[in-house]
């Protein structure tokens, strides 16, 4: 069957894993699958792997509908064996529904002589495996070994050496040594205990020879991990400690959630039982209680309960597992809980409540009138004489509708779920450029032409922000709406050092320190991030990418917060700001009041980034971007290549196809020809060619012929 194509999702993240061994990125759905790609990429047992390899349709007994199933991965091992893998969270694998489905899948695959294996998130995240594999991918490249790396291999070939010893012998910083070592790990020329934290004492050695893979529990052999290394070890230890404290302590759980009156009575009853237990040695007979009753009256005076009450409380306390909460009088549950209205009337009231779609004035009265109409119609049909409840009763029922149910009525289920969804804490990062957020926004600001002062409109800004340091890596401001062009120019700006800042803008006090290659770029579901050339550029740069679920801007909090500060704190004070609060005012026209041209706007933004945003604390006042960046450089240095601007222009070119003729290649009525294209045409004739064009200019980068027998390439 046809392969499953992953584009976007409303509930899960989409990731694209890139490799120097694959021409195209590997698209997966979910973070666990993204981590699994790192296992398969760097394991010496794996020759190749493929995500979403094939759809299977299995017949099911007793039904005409087949079971449609697509494994997450197909992995080809060095012994020519193939294994299908299914990646699932551990909690889901414990459900009966999954167990039944998994048993059916395993039986069906076994009948076809296919191997299907289950991998859970606990297996993927044992110890430091996931973090170390992601860190290794950070330093992966296709370049040959450097002279320093050859020296490292010579030293380690004699005996395993730690990071600190290598740094001393090679006279290199430890962060630089680690980058060389991890690059050799990605080339499978070195190895180290991936399940352990990577620090200066980590010992690197030559990888052991590849052994024959046993087809039972294949994933456990991809990167063997000792049995004592478990999933999320620190969290497991913390949970055990908390559970032990709860077991040792008396049951005060949820006591503070009770109303004050019930809480005080529960504590009083517990004190009485504690006193009685100490005096009676656990024997609560009538004779024993009567003998100590005078002592109880001395301590509790007129509040002393009767003997029967004490025995009843003790029975409840023991039955609840000695929980103080069980001793509360539970006043809220008292009273008559039966409905006074008939079942038929309850159904009619619910129909009237379902008619309410907003909380505007008159909505309740209109729904109550509809209820009276429903009651009249029901009486006509049934011959009964039901009487509609009063409007006060109807209001009481309306007030019992939960905020979520009301939001569903007013805005629909999707918006209600979004409004009341739990927003967890930010994704935690351990190093610079581990996670970079990218997004666009249209500035609330009008820009004018430099000489004529004619309003040009509101420009768009595309920005990349580092999550770990909250730093701005790069940006692009222009009138081009969100597109591959704006993304490419912003990413190019982020990759290159900002040496131009102090020379171009002498009034700026601080250097712009931040640049480098991100490990993972996180975006929304804009079409520009699905662009073919954008995917191709990230594959060449070896940058992974991820897309958040649809309509979830809160999953990119750093860049969204930056845009908010840019519009409110920086641009609001300048003429030309849209001033949303005055939009309806006839006295204020932002386009006519605008005086800032594009050059001046770029100057203002550079000053604000370098001297205010990067040099000052964030809103929580827990970090300063520049200071965090400098401190984090000492541990795991980001990949900061000396990219050539022209080389990046070539990477970010548009890839197009056309016919090479006598006049060259034609693109949008523009013709590109030169001596090189004429020479290429002389060798292959009029031929279909692939050519690259710089997206922000009119120049043609190069073209090559598409031919089965002849392949030529020329710069033009």
């Amino acid at each position: 069957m046809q392969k499953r194509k992953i584009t976007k999702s409303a509930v899960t993240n989409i990731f694209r894993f890139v490799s120097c061994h694959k021409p195209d990125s590997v698209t997966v759905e979910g973070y666990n699958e993204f981590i699994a790609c790192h296992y398969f990429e760097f394991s010496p047992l794996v020759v190749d792997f493929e995500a979403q390899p094939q759809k299977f349709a299995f017949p099911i007994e007793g039904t005409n509908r087949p079971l449609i199933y697509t494994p997450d991965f197909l992995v080809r091992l060095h012994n020519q064996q193939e294994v299908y893998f299914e990646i699932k969270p551990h909690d889901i694998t414990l459900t009966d529904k999954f167990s039944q489905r998994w048993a059916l899948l395993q039986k069906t695959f076994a009948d076809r002589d296919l191997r299907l294996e289950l991998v859970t998130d606990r297996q993927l995240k044992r110890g430091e495996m996931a973090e170390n594999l992601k860190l290794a991918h950070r330093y992966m490249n296709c370049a040959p070994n450097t002279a320093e790396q050859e020296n490292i291999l010579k030293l380690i070939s004699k005996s395993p050496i730690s990071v600190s010893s290598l740094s001393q012998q090679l006279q290199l910083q430890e962060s630089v040594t680690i980058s060389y070592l991890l690059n050799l790990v990605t080339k499978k020329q070195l190895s180290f205990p991936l399940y352990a934290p990577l620090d200066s004492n980590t010992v690197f050695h030559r990888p052991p020879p590849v052994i024959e893979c046993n087809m039972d529990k294949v994933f456990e052999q991809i990167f063997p991990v000792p049995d004592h290394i478990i999933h999320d070890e620190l969290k497991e230890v913390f949970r055990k400690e908390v559970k032990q404290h709860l077991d040792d302590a008396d049951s005060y759980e949820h006591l503070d959630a009770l109303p004050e009156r019930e809480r005080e009575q529960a504590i009083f009853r517990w004190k009485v039982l504690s006193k009685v237990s100490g005096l009676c040695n656990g024997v609560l007979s009538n004779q024993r209680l009567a003998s100590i009753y005078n002592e109880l009256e001395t301590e509790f005076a007129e509040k002393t309960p009767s003997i029967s009450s004490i025995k009843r409380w003790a029975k409840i306390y023991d039955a609840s597992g000695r929980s103080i909460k069980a001793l509360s009088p539970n006043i809220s549950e008292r009273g008559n809980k039966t409905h006074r209205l008939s079942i038929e009337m309850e159904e009619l009231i619910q129909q009237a409540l379902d008619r309410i779609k907003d909380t505007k004035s008159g909505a309740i009265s209109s729904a109550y009138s509809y209820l009276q109409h429903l009651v009249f119609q029901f009486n006509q049909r049934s011959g009964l004489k039901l009487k509609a409840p009063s409007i006060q009763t109807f209001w009481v029922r309306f007030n019992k509708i939960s905020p979520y149910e009301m939001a569903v009525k007013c805005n629909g289920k999707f918006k209600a779920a979004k409004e009341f969804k739990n927003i967890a804490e930010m994704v935690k990062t351990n190093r610079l450029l581990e996670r970079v957020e990218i997004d666009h926004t249209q500035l609330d600001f009008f820009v004018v032409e430099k000489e004529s002062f004619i309003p040009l409109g509101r420009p768009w800004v595309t920005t990349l922000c580092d999550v770990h340091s909250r730093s701005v890596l790069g940006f692009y401001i222009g009138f081009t709406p969100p597109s591959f062009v704006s993304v490419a120019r912003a990413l190019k700006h982020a990759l290159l050092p900002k040496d131009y800042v102090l020379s171009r803008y002498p009034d700026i006090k601080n250097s712009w320190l931040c640049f480098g290659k991100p490990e993972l770029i996180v975006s929304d579901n804009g079409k520009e991030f699905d662009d073919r050339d954008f995917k191709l550029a990230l594959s060449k740069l070896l940058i992974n990418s991820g897309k958040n679920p649809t309509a979830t801007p809160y999953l990119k909090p750093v860049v969204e917060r930056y845009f908010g500060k840019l519009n409110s704190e920086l641009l609001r004070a300048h003429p030309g700001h849209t001033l949303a609060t005055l939009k309806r005012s006839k006295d204020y026209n932002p386009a006519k009041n605008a005086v800032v041209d594009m050059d001046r706007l770029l100057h203002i933004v550079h000053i604000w980034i370098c001297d205010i945003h990067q040099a000052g604390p964030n809103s929580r006042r827990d970090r300063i971007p520049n200071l965090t960046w400098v401190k984090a450089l000492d541990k795991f240095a980001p990949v900061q290549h000396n990219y050539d601007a022209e080389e990046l222009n070539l990477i970010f070119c548009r890839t197009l196809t056309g016919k090479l003729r006598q006049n060259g290649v034609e693109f949008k009525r523009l013709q590109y020809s030169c001596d090189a294209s004429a020479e290429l045409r002389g060798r292959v004739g009029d031929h279909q060619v692939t050519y690259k064009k710089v997206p922000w200019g009119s120049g043609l980068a190069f073209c090559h012929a598409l031919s089965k027998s002849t392949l030529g390439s020329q710069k033009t």
Side-chain angles (χ1 to χ4, degrees):
M1 296 182 67
Q2 187 178 5
K3 291 179 61 175
R4 178 170 174 247
K5 186 177 181 181
I6 300 176
T7 54
K8 62 181 179 180
S9 172
V11 293
T12 59
N13 296 302
I14 306 298
F15 291 93
R16 297 192 189 99
F17 177 84
V18 299
S19 167
C20 58
H21 305 116
K22 291 179 176 293
D24 298 321
S25 58
V26 179
T27 304
V28 295
E29 190 176 33
Y31 182 73
N32 292 330
E33 287 79 357
F34 178 63
I35 295 299
C37 289
H38 293 76
Y39 276 81
F40 302 141
E41 172 68 20
F42 300 126
S43 172
L45 296 180
V46 177
V47 176
D48 191 19
F49 69 97
E50 183 181 356
Q52 306 294 320
Q54 180 183 355
K55 275 187 180 181
F56 291 93
F58 302 125
I60 303 177
E61 295 182 3
T63 178
N64 294 328
R65 295 185 60 185
L67 172 62
I68 306 297
Y69 171 69
T70 303
D72 289 321
F73 292 99
L74 170 60
V75 175
R76 298 176 181 88
L77 304 175
H78 73 100
N79 57 3
Q80 307 302 319
Q81 296 286 342
E82 293 185 348
V83 183
Y84 291 94
F85 284 98
E86 177 69 20
I87 313 296
K88 275 287 183 285
H90 177 73
D91 295 339
I92 291 180
T93 62
L94 302 178
T95 61
D96 294 336
K97 181 179 179 181
F98 177 82
S99 299
Q100 296 173 4
R101 177 183 171 90
W102 182 248
L104 177 61
L105 287 173
Q106 280 196 311
K107 180 180 181 303
T108 309
F109 269 73
D111 293 341
R112 298 191 178 193
D113 292 330
L114 299 175
R115 173 72 183 171
L116 178 64
E117 190 167 314
L118 175 65
V119 179
T120 67
D121 56 342
R122 291 195 173 188
Q123 293 173 270
L124 292 168
K125 299 175 184 177
R126 290 171 298 181
E128 298 295 325
M129 288 291 299
E131 288 302 316
N132 285 335
L133 287 172
K134 288 196 302 180
L135 186 59
H137 186 278
R138 175 193 188 108
Y139 299 106
M140 181 173 64
N141 61 45
C142 304
N145 292 343
T146 63
E148 291 83 358
Q149 288 177 313
E150 292 296 336
N151 291 334
I152 289 174
L153 291 175
K154 289 179 182 178
L155 292 172
I156 294 181
S157 62
K158 299 176 182 178
S159 63
I161 305 178
S162 66
V163 174
S164 58
S165 299
L166 275 173
S167 300
Q168 292 175 2
Q169 295 185 43
L170 299 175
Q171 296 182 350
L172 295 173
Q173 293 182 354
E174 286 190 0
S175 60
V176 177
T177 304
I178 288 176
S179 66
Y180 287 145
L181 290 168
L182 290 178
N183 178 257
L184 292 172
V185 170
T186 63
K187 297 174 181 177
K188 303 179 183 179
Q189 298 178 14
L190 286 182
S191 180
F192 73 100
L194 287 164
Y195 52 82
L198 177 59
D199 53 31
S200 58
N201 297 320
T202 301
V203 176
F204 283 77
H205 54 81
R206 283 285 193 174
V210 179
I211 60 175
E212 190 67 24
C213 181
N214 185 358
M215 296 309 292
D216 184 32
K217 295 184 178 180
V218 174
F219 189 80
E220 299 295 332
Q221 303 170 61
I222 288 180
F223 280 112
V225 178
D227 294 336
H228 68 278
I229 303 297
I230 61 174
H231 156 73
D232 228 346
E233 188 172 3
L234 294 177
K235 285 188 178 180
E236 293 290 344
V237 172
F238 175 74
R239 288 170 183 167
K240 288 181 180 179
E241 290 179 354
V242 171
K243 186 177 184 302
Q244 184 64 35
H245 290 322
L246 290 176
D247 291 341
D248 294 342
D250 282 329
S251 302
Y252 276 94
E253 70 273 14
H254 309 304
L255 196 61
D256 54 349
L258 296 174
E260 184 177 359
R261 180 182 173 188
E262 295 184 23
R263 181 168 63 250
E264 290 177 354
Q265 291 193 34
I267 294 175
F268 170 74
R269 293 178 179 184
W270 175 76
K271 289 180 179 179
V272 171
L273 292 178
S274 299
K275 182 70 174 179
V276 169
S277 178
L279 295 174
C280 297
N281 295 323
V283 180
L284 302 184
S285 63
N286 290 336
Q287 294 81 1
R288 186 68 64 88
L289 290 174
S291 64
I292 65 169
Y293 198 77
N294 291 333
E295 192 170 346
L296 294 178
E297 286 182 330
T298 302
E299 182 168 346
F300 299 108
E302 69 276 1
K303 293 184 179 180
T304 306
S306 64
I307 292 177
S308 60
S309 295
I310 295 174
K311 295 181 70 175
R312 186 177 72 254
W313 295 349
K315 184 178 180 181
I316 295 173
Y317 187 54
D318 292 336
S320 66
R322 304 180 68 82
S323 170
I324 297 180
K325 185 183 177 184
L327 295 174
S328 64
N330 209 3
I331 298 173
S332 59
E333 296 297 325
R334 296 176 182 174
N336 183 16
K337 298 299 180 182
T338 59
H339 293 290
R340 291 181 295 174
L341 300 176
S342 63
I343 297 176
E344 294 82 0
M345 182 58 68
E346 292 289 348
E347 293 177 354
L348 296 178
I349 292 175
Q350 188 59 46
Q351 291 182 36
L353 290 174
D354 291 341
R355 190 180 179 89
I356 301 174
K357 300 300 182 184
D358 56 62
T359 56
K360 294 181 180 179
S361 177
I364 311 303
S365 299
S366 175
Y368 182 71
S369 299
Y370 181 64
L371 172 62
Q372 292 176 319
H373 175 68
L374 290 176
V375 172
F376 175 78
Q377 285 188 329
F378 181 82
N379 290 337
Q380 289 285 331
R381 293 194 307 268
S382 63
L384 299 177
K385 295 183 179 180
L386 296 180
K387 183 180 179 181
S390 65
I391 192 170
Q392 289 80 6
T393 302
F394 190 72
W395 265 100
V396 170
R397 293 299 179 89
F398 171 75
N399 290 330
K400 289 183 178 180
I401 299 176
S402 67
Y404 172 76
E405 293 173 331
M406 199 65 227
V408 171
K409 291 175 180 291
C410 297
N411 304 317
K413 191 172 183 179
F414 179 78
K415 289 188 176 180
K418 179 181 175 182
E419 180 180 354
F420 291 95
K421 180 181 179 180
N422 172 46
I423 299 178
E425 62 180 352
M426 284 180 55
V427 176
K428 293 184 178 180
T429 56
N430 300 316
R431 53 191 175 272
L432 295 177
L433 303 184
E434 180 181 355
R435 181 183 177 93
V436 172
E437 297 173 357
I438 184 172
D439 205 358
H440 322 269
T441 192
Q442 192 172 22
L443 296 179
D444 298 336
F445 191 78
F446 278 85
V447 173
V448 299
E449 201 275 328
K450 188 171 184 178
E451 296 181 357
S452 63
F453 282 84
I454 297 175
L456 299 177
R458 294 167 54 192
W460 287 85
V461 58
T462 303
T463 304
L464 291 94
C465 291
D466 173 47
V467 173
H468 185 73
S469 64
R470 308 295 194 270
S471 297
V472 178
L473 285 181
F475 71 92
Y476 167 70
I477 298 180
F479 294 98
T480 305
S483 63
F484 168 72
V485 176
S486 57
V487 172
R489 299 191 75 164
L491 182 54
K492 177 185 175 183
H493 189 234
L495 292 170
L496 295 174
K498 315 298 188 296
D499 300 332
Y500 68 90
V501 172
L502 296 181
S503 58
R504 186 180 301 176
Y505 307 113
D507 52 343
I508 292 180
K509 300 177 182 178
N510 300 294
S511 300
W512 193 348
L513 307 174
C514 310
F515 73 98
K517 189 187 81 170
E519 287 184 39
L520 175 68
I521 293 181
V522 179
S523 67
D524 55 23
N525 285 270
K527 291 184 178 180
E528 62 275 11
F529 301 113
D530 282 325
D531 189 275
R532 181 192 61 178
D533 292 313
F534 177 69
K535 297 178 186 177
L536 187 61
L538 292 188
S539 296
K540 291 181 178 178
L541 294 168
L542 295 177
I543 299 175
N544 294 325
S545 61
K547 295 195 302 179
N548 290 328
T550 55
T552 54
Y554 50 84
L555 295 181
K556 303 192 307 300
V558 176
V559 70
E560 296 289 351
R561 176 61 180 162
Y562 168 77
F563 285 151
K565 293 176 67 176
L566 187 67
N567 276 315
S568 61
E569 296 183 10
L570 172 64
L571 300 178
R572 190 176 182 84
H574 294 276
H577 192 278
T578 56
L579 293 177
T581 56
L582 299 178
K583 273 188 175 180
R584 297 183 181 179
S585 174
K586 296 181 180 179
D587 299 331
Y588 179 75
N589 187 335
K592 288 185 177 180
N593 285 271
V595 295
V596 177
D597 57 64
M598 182 59 76
D599 292 340
R600 182 61 179 167
L601 176 62
L602 289 173
H603 190 178
I604 293 171
V605 171
H606 275 86
I607 293 175
W608 187 73
I609 290 176
C610 296
D611 290 342
I612 298 177
H613 177 81
Q614 291 291 127
N618 61 348
S619 58
R620 293 186 178 182
R621 310 191 75 82
D622 60 353
R623 71 186 71 198
I624 297 174
N626 272 351
L627 185 60
T628 306
W629 181 275
V630 172
K631 286 185 176 180
L633 282 174
D634 296 335
K635 189 173 183 181
F636 298 118
V639 180
Q640 295 178 319
H641 289 304
N642 293 323
Y643 289 108
D644 180 64
E646 292 300 324
E647 178 187 354
L648 289 179
N649 285 343
L650 186 61
I651 291 176
F652 290 122
C653 277
R654 281 287 193 189
T655 303
L656 305 167
T657 58
K659 195 74 175 266
L660 178 62
R661 303 179 186 275
Q662 184 176 7
N663 295 330
V665 178
E666 183 175 331
F667 173 74
K668 291 187 177 180
R669 299 186 180 277
L670 296 176
Q671 292 180 341
Y672 297 88
S673 64
C674 62
D675 294 339
S677 63
E679 180 185 349
L680 180 61
R681 180 172 174 268
R683 287 191 284 116
V684 298
D686 290 352
H687 203 84
Q688 196 77 8
V689 295
T690 295
Y691 61 94
K692 285 185 171 288
K693 180 186 176 302
V694 180
W696 47 82
S698 58
L700 186 69
F702 76 92
C703 65
H704 69 80
L706 294 178
S707 173
K708 295 181 180 179
S709 58
T710 307
L711 178 63
S713 64
Q714 296 288 341
K715 291 185 178 180
T716 60

